Amino acid sequence: MAEQQIQVAVLGGGSFGTALASIAADNGAQVRQWMRDEALVEQINRERRNGRYLPNYAINPAVQASTDLETVLRDAELVLIAIPSQAFRSVVQAAKPWLRPEQILVSTTKGIEQSGFLLMSQVLEQETGFTHIGVIAGPNLASEIADKQLTATVIASADALTRTRVQQALGCRYFRVYASNDRHGVELGGALKNIYAIAAGMAAALGMGENTRSMLMTRALAEMSRFAVAQGANPMTFLGLAGVGDLIVTCSSSLSRNYRVGHAIGEGRTLDEAVDALGQVAEGVNTVRLVCTKAAEIGVYMPLAEGLYHVLFDGVPPQDMAKTLMMGEQSSDVEFILPREDVQQAHRETGGWHD
């Protein structure tokens, strides 16, 4: 339970924002939730449920929904921003007149902005210049949180006050909140795992077995950490909830939106058909394109992400994705123990081999 009452604003009316708003209210916080949809606001305030995203979830009566940003942000100490990446900046810009430097701003969005390859916390820094900025990431399927199934998340920030306030506001008997100071690594983990959830969904639809899924997730973790470390993250972050924890759940569960998109494509649907059938944003689709472009730019080896890119955007059959996994260079398992360059050098010195 929270040690003191805190006033919380949640920007976004999706499943995760709704679940977090209700958790904070359960913990005794005063909570206001902003969304654009007036009908959804009315339903939440009247029926205590979000019929579009969490129809069977009883929202704490202390959560008050509104379409007015000023009303929601007034007197809020903690602001949780649960907006899809494509609209994230525009919502922050609209909120700026009612934001204050002493407020704590926390992104829950697992995506990347196309212009400048910016993470959402970097957008917050750009737009506000505030010092109390953090991110939340982890194995957090909103429907399971709504059912009060046991889970955990990570609040990452260089700012101790931000970490502490989020732990106080959200930590409860079924939702654990762990702290990290590697904001960049935690945020990249949350964004990058969406790529491999699509690949895992495809693999499942194609009938691939448990060994294959295990290999896919493990090599995905290698790619994620390789890319993130090149961007300044700590590789140890990927041993935690925002790395391997989030990767396991999103690559294993049909509740994962990105997994469902991949599964539909593996069954033979086009990308557009898969996204339309989902009816919600699958951040991984855009992330594949952005990460592959960035990886090529900075010279990071990401064969799985590249193979998935060709399936999604170049019309390559999903069955060919497996070839990317099996025909790539046999190199180092854990690069932070045995550098990939050392394995390559050994191959050159011994004349290599061919399977």
Side-chain angles (χ1 to χ4, degrees):
M1 297 295 289
E3 295 177 5
Q4 63 186 60
Q5 189 176 60
I6 183 173
Q7 297 195 52
V8 177
V10 177
L11 305 186
S15 54
F16 193 46
T18 298
L20 291 181
S22 198
I23 288 173
D26 286 348
N27 275 357
Q30 295 182 350
V31 183
R32 297 189 181 99
Q33 185 178 6
W34 174 85
M35 59 202 73
R36 289 193 176 98
D37 189 331
E38 291 185 4
L40 194 54
V41 165
E42 182 180 348
Q43 183 183 52
I44 289 174
N45 290 336
R46 185 183 69 249
E47 301 177 21
R48 315 315 308 168
R49 69 184 187 94
N50 184 330
R52 181 173 181 184
Y53 294 107
L54 290 174
N56 300 316
Y57 179 41
I59 298 170
N60 188 301
V63 176
Q64 294 299 310
S66 174
T67 59
D68 183 65
L69 278 168
E70 181 180 9
T71 298
V72 169
L73 292 168
R74 187 189 305 124
D75 300 324
E77 180 182 355
L78 172 61
V79 182
L80 303 174
I81 307 168
I83 301 291
S85 59
Q86 295 92 328
F88 193 94
R89 185 183 291 271
S90 64
V91 170
V92 172
Q93 288 173 338
K96 278 170 68 173
W98 300 286
L99 295 176
R100 307 181 310 280
E102 65 272 18
Q103 284 177 315
I104 296 167
L105 307 181
V106 176
S107 167
T108 75
T109 301
K110 298 175 178 179
I112 300 168
E113 186 180 69
Q114 182 168 347
S115 178
F117 198 84
L118 294 176
L119 299 168
M120 299 303 102
S121 68
Q122 294 172 315
V123 173
L124 287 174
E125 284 181 327
Q126 273 192 358
E127 290 293 340
T128 69
F130 292 179
T131 57
H132 304 304
I133 288 177
V135 299
I136 286 176
N140 300 147
L141 297 173
S143 59
E144 289 192 358
I145 296 171
D147 288 339
K148 294 183 169 53
Q149 295 189 29
L150 307 182
T151 191
T153 197
V154 178
I155 171 60
S157 178
D159 174 51
L161 177 65
T162 297
R163 298 193 301 264
T164 299
R165 283 290 184 266
V166 171
Q167 288 180 305
Q168 291 172 338
L170 298 178
C172 63
R173 62 178 177 79
Y174 61 90
F175 191 69
R176 298 277 291 175
V177 183
Y178 292 87
S180 170
N181 60 3
D182 183 16
R183 193 186 80 195
H184 205 59
V186 165
E187 196 164 15
L188 275 170
L192 293 171
K193 56 89 186 179
N194 287 328
I195 294 174
Y196 304 102
I198 297 174
M202 284 185 191
L206 293 169
M208 296 181 183
E210 296 300 323
N211 283 342
T212 307
R213 184 167 66 176
S214 176
M215 177 175 64
L216 175 63
M217 285 193 283
T218 308
R219 299 319 304 162
L221 191 64
E223 283 194 14
M224 289 167 59
S225 55
R226 183 188 306 140
F227 181 87
V229 168
Q231 295 287 299
N234 187 328
M236 297 300 288
T237 294
F238 288 81
L239 296 178
L241 288 162
V244 67
D246 206 358
L247 183 67
I248 288 171
V249 73
T250 202
C251 287
S252 306
S253 174
S254 60
L255 297 175
S256 162
R257 289 173 290 189
N258 293 284
Y259 179 96
R260 279 149 56 194
V261 165
H263 199 278
I265 293 171
E267 291 177 325
R269 298 191 192 187
T270 66
L271 175 59
D272 288 342
E273 288 170 346
V275 172
D276 288 345
L278 182 66
Q280 300 183 49
V281 174
E283 289 281 4
V285 173
N286 188 50
T287 303
V288 172
R289 192 193 306 269
L290 296 178
V291 166
C292 285
T293 300
K294 189 68 172 179
E297 176 188 318
I298 63 178
V300 175
Y301 180 59
M302 301 187 76
L304 281 177
E306 184 179 343
L308 182 59
Y309 178 95
H310 291 312
V311 172
L312 294 181
F313 304 115
D314 293 339
V316 172
Q319 294 87 342
D320 289 355
M321 185 181 65
K323 296 178 183 178
T324 303
L325 188 59
M326 298 307 296
M327 298 182 68
E329 173 188 333
Q330 294 185 125
S331 187
S332 173
D333 180 21
V334 181
E335 293 176 45
F336 308 108
I337 298 174
L338 175 63
R340 188 164 156 263
E341 293 77 10
D342 290 0
V343 177
Q344 293 172 326
Q345 179 64 26
H347 288 184
R348 287 191 293 269
E349 291 174 352
T350 61
W353 64 72
H354 299 282
D355 289 329

Coordinates of all heavy atoms in Angstrom, one line a residue, residues 9 18 23 27 32 48 62 78 84 91 94 109 111 126 132 147 173 184 188 207 212 232 235 309 318 333 339 344 347:
A9 N -2.2 11.2 -12.3 CA -2.9 11.4 -13.5 C -2.5 10.3 -14.5 O -1.3 10.0 -14.6 CB -2.6 12.8 -14.1
T18 N -5.6 1.9 -18.1 CA -6.8 1.7 -17.3 C -6.4 0.8 -16.1 O -6.8 1.0 -14.9 CB -7.9 1.0 -18.1 OG1 -8.3 1.9 -19.1 CG2 -9.1 0.7 -17.2
I23 N -5.1 0.3 -10.2 CA -4.1 -0.1 -9.2 C -3.8 1.1 -8.2 O -3.8 0.9 -7.0 CB -2.8 -0.7 -9.8 CG1 -3.1 -2.0 -10.5 CG2 -1.7 -0.8 -8.8 CD1 -1.9 -2.5 -11.3
N27 N -4.6 1.6 -4.2 CA -3.5 1.9 -3.2 C -3.8 3.2 -2.4 O -3.0 3.6 -1.7 CB -2.2 2.0 -3.9 CG -1.5 0.7 -4.0 OD1 -2.0 -0.4 -3.6 ND2 -0.3 0.6 -4.6
R32 N -7.0 10.5 -11.7 CA -7.8 11.0 -12.8 C -7.2 10.4 -14.1 O -6.0 10.4 -14.2 CB -7.9 12.5 -12.9 CG -8.5 13.2 -11.6 CD -8.7 14.7 -11.9 NE -9.3 15.3 -10.7 CZ -8.6 16.0 -9.8 NH1 -7.3 16.1 -9.9 NH2 -9.2 16.6 -8.8
R48 N -18.1 2.0 -14.3 CA -16.8 1.5 -13.8 C -16.2 0.4 -14.6 O -15.7 -0.6 -14.0 CB -17.0 1.0 -12.3 CG -17.8 1.9 -11.4 CD -17.5 3.4 -11.5 NE -16.0 3.7 -11.4 CZ -15.5 4.9 -11.7 NH1 -16.2 5.9 -12.2 NH2 -14.2 5.1 -11.6
A62 N -12.8 5.1 -7.4 CA -12.1 6.4 -7.1 C -11.5 7.0 -8.4 O -11.0 8.1 -8.4 CB -11.0 6.2 -6.1
L78 N 2.2 12.6 -9.8 CA 2.7 11.6 -10.7 C 1.8 11.5 -12.0 O 0.6 11.4 -11.9 CB 2.7 10.2 -10.0 CG 3.0 9.0 -10.8 CD1 4.4 9.0 -11.5 CD2 2.8 7.7 -10.0
P84 N -0.1 5.4 -27.4 CA 0.7 4.8 -28.4 C 1.8 5.8 -29.0 O 1.6 7.0 -29.0 CB -0.3 4.5 -29.5 CG -1.6 4.3 -28.7 CD -1.5 5.3 -27.6
V91 N 0.2 14.4 -27.7 CA -0.5 14.4 -26.4 C 0.3 15.2 -25.4 O -0.2 16.0 -24.6 CB -0.9 13.0 -25.9 CG1 -1.4 13.1 -24.5 CG2 -1.9 12.4 -26.9
A94 N 0.1 18.8 -26.1 CA -1.2 19.3 -25.7 C -1.3 19.5 -24.1 O -2.0 20.4 -23.6 CB -2.4 18.4 -26.1
T109 N 4.9 3.5 -22.5 CA 4.7 3.1 -23.9 C 6.0 2.4 -24.4 O 7.1 2.9 -24.3 CB 4.5 4.4 -24.8 OG1 3.3 5.1 -24.3 CG2 4.4 4.1 -26.2
G111 N 7.5 1.8 -27.4 CA 7.7 2.1 -28.8 C 8.7 3.1 -29.1 O 9.4 3.6 -28.1
Q126 N 12.7 16.2 -24.3 CA 12.7 17.2 -25.3 C 11.5 18.2 -25.1 O 11.7 19.4 -25.2 CB 12.5 16.6 -26.7 CG 13.8 16.2 -27.4 CD 13.6 15.9 -28.8 OE1 12.5 15.9 -29.4 NE2 14.7 15.5 -29.5
H132 N 12.4 14.9 -13.4 CA 11.8 13.7 -12.8 C 11.1 12.9 -13.9 O 9.9 12.9 -14.1 CB 10.8 14.0 -11.7 CG 11.3 14.9 -10.6 ND1 12.4 14.5 -9.9 CD2 11.0 16.1 -10.2 CE1 12.7 15.4 -9.0 NE2 11.9 16.4 -9.2
D147 N -7.0 -9.0 -13.8 CA -7.5 -10.2 -13.1 C -6.7 -10.3 -11.8 O -7.0 -11.3 -11.0 CB -7.3 -11.4 -13.9 CG -8.3 -11.5 -15.1 OD1 -9.3 -10.8 -15.0 OD2 -8.0 -12.3 -16.0
R173 N -0.1 -6.1 -3.5 CA 0.0 -7.5 -3.2 C 0.1 -8.3 -4.5 O 0.6 -9.5 -4.4 CB -1.1 -8.0 -2.3 CG -2.5 -7.8 -3.0 CD -3.6 -8.4 -2.2 NE -4.9 -8.1 -2.8 CZ -5.4 -8.9 -3.8 NH1 -4.7 -9.9 -4.2 NH2 -6.6 -8.6 -4.3
H184 N 17.5 3.8 -20.3 CA 17.6 3.6 -21.7 C 17.5 2.1 -22.0 O 16.8 1.6 -22.9 CB 19.0 4.1 -22.2 CG 19.0 4.4 -23.6 ND1 18.2 5.3 -24.2 CD2 19.8 3.9 -24.6 CE1 18.4 5.4 -25.5 NE2 19.4 4.6 -25.8
L188 N 14.5 0.3 -24.0 CA 14.8 -0.4 -25.3 C 14.3 -1.8 -25.2 O 13.8 -2.4 -26.2 CB 16.3 -0.3 -25.5 CG 16.8 0.9 -26.3 CD1 18.3 0.9 -26.3 CD2 16.3 0.9 -27.7
G207 N 3.8 -24.2 -36.8 CA 3.9 -25.5 -36.2 C 5.3 -25.8 -35.7 O 5.6 -27.0 -35.4
T212 N 12.5 -24.9 -31.0 CA 12.6 -23.8 -31.9 C 12.2 -22.5 -31.2 O 12.9 -21.5 -31.3 CB 11.7 -24.0 -33.1 OG1 11.9 -25.2 -33.7 CG2 11.9 -22.9 -34.1
G232 N 24.1 2.4 -25.8 CA 24.5 2.9 -24.5 C 23.9 2.3 -23.3 O 24.1 2.7 -22.1
P235 N 24.2 -4.2 -20.5 CA 23.8 -5.5 -20.9 C 23.1 -6.3 -19.8 O 22.2 -7.1 -20.0 CB 25.1 -6.2 -21.4 CG 26.2 -5.5 -20.7 CD 25.7 -4.0 -20.6
Y309 N 11.7 -8.3 -41.1 CA 11.4 -7.2 -41.9 C 11.0 -7.6 -43.4 O 10.1 -7.1 -44.0 CB 12.7 -6.3 -42.0 CG 12.5 -5.1 -42.9 CD1 12.1 -3.8 -42.4 CD2 12.7 -5.1 -44.3 CE1 12.0 -2.7 -43.2 CE2 12.6 -4.0 -45.1 CZ 12.2 -2.8 -44.5 OH 12.0 -1.7 -45.4
P318 N 6.5 -16.4 -44.8 CA 6.9 -16.6 -43.4 C 7.8 -17.8 -43.2 O 8.7 -17.8 -42.3 CB 5.6 -16.8 -42.6 CG 4.6 -16.0 -43.5 CD 5.1 -16.2 -44.9
D333 N 27.8 -17.4 -28.5 CA 26.5 -17.5 -27.8 C 26.2 -16.3 -27.0 O 25.2 -15.5 -27.3 CB 26.5 -18.8 -26.9 CG 25.2 -19.0 -26.1 OD1 24.2 -18.4 -26.5 OD2 25.2 -19.6 -25.1
P339 N 33.4 -12.5 -27.1 CA 33.1 -11.5 -28.1 C 32.9 -12.2 -29.5 O 33.7 -13.1 -29.8 CB 34.3 -10.5 -28.1 CG 34.8 -10.6 -26.7 CD 34.7 -12.1 -26.4
Q344 N 34.9 -15.0 -34.9 CA 35.1 -14.7 -36.3 C 36.6 -14.8 -36.6 O 37.0 -15.4 -37.7 CB 34.6 -13.3 -36.7 CG 33.1 -13.2 -36.6 CD 32.6 -11.8 -36.8 OE1 33.3 -10.8 -36.4 NE2 31.5 -11.6 -37.4
H347 N 37.6 -18.4 -36.8 CA 37.2 -19.0 -38.1 C 38.2 -18.7 -39.2 O 38.5 -19.6 -40.0 CB 35.8 -18.5 -38.4 CG 34.7 -19.1 -37.6 ND1 33.4 -18.8 -37.8 CD2 34.7 -19.9 -36.5 CE1 32.6 -19.5 -36.9 NE2 33.4 -20.1 -36.1

